[in-house]
C-alpha cells in the first residue's frame, strides 16, 4: 500500500512538474510573440510615415514643376495650336520632307 501511494505521489509530482514547465514555456513564447508584435507594429508605423513623406514629396515636386513651367516663356518658334505631334518614322515620306525643309531653313539643322 505504501509503495502504491509513493508511486502515486511521484506520478502526481512528475505530472505537476511537467505541467508547470509547460506553462513556463507558454508564458515565454507568449512574451516573445508580444515583443515581435510590438516590433512589427513599430515597423508598420514607420512605413506609414514614410509613405506619407513620399506622397508629400511627390506633391511638392509637382508643385515646383508647375512653378518652374509658369516662369518659363514659350519659345517664339512654338505655336499655341491644339495639334498634337505625331511620331513619324524614317520610312515615311513626311519624315524626309520635314528633314529637307529644316535643312533649307536652318543652318545648324
Amino acid at each position: 500500500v505504501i509503495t502504491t501511494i509513493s508511486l502515486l505521489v511521484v506520478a502526481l509530482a512528475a505530472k505537476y512538474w511537467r505541467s508547470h514547465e509547460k506553462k513556463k514555456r507558454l508564458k515565454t513564447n507568449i512574451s516573445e510573440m508580444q515583443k515581435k508584435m510590438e516590433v512589427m507594429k513599430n515597423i508598420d508605423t514607420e512605413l506609414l510615415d514614410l509613405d506619407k513623406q513620399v506622397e508629400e514629396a511627390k506633391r511638392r515636386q509637382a508643385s515646383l514643376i508647375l512653378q518652374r513651367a509658369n516662369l518659363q516663356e514659350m519659345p517664339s518658334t512654338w505655336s499655341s495650336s491644339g495639334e498634337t505631334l505625331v511620331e513619324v518614322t524614317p520610312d515615311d515620306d513626311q519624315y524626309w520632307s520635314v528633314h529637307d525643309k529644316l535643312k533649307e531653313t536652318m543652318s545648324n539643322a
Side-chain angles (χ1 to χ4, degrees), residues 14-85:
K15 186 173 182 176
Y16 171 78
W17 181 78
R18 281 187 11 199
S19 173
H20 180 71
E21 288 297 313
K22 186 176 181 180
K23 284 181 184 178
K24 248 177 29 178
R25 274 195 315 268
L26 283 173
K27 284 182 183 178
T28 303
N29 288 344
I30 289 173
S31 176
E32 289 174 6
M33 288 297 285
Q34 286 175 337
K35 288 177 186 175
K36 286 181 183 178
M37 292 299 290
E38 186 64 30
V39 170
M40 287 175 64
K41 182 179 174 184
N42 291 339
I43 290 172
D44 288 343
T45 302
E46 284 186 51
L47 286 171
L48 285 174
D49 289 343
L50 284 174
D51 283 343
K52 289 177 185 175
Q53 289 175 9
V54 166
E55 288 175 18
E56 180 58 33
K58 285 181 181 179
R59 279 195 292 273
R60 179 77 175 132
Q61 180 187 31
S63 171
L64 290 172
I65 289 171
L66 284 175
Q67 288 177 14
R68 187 169 189 269
N70 288 336
L71 293 174
Q72 289 178 329
E73 295 178 11
M74 184 167 39
S76 61
T77 56
W78 288 13
S79 68
S80 59
S81 71
E83 294 180 27
T84 305
L85 295 177

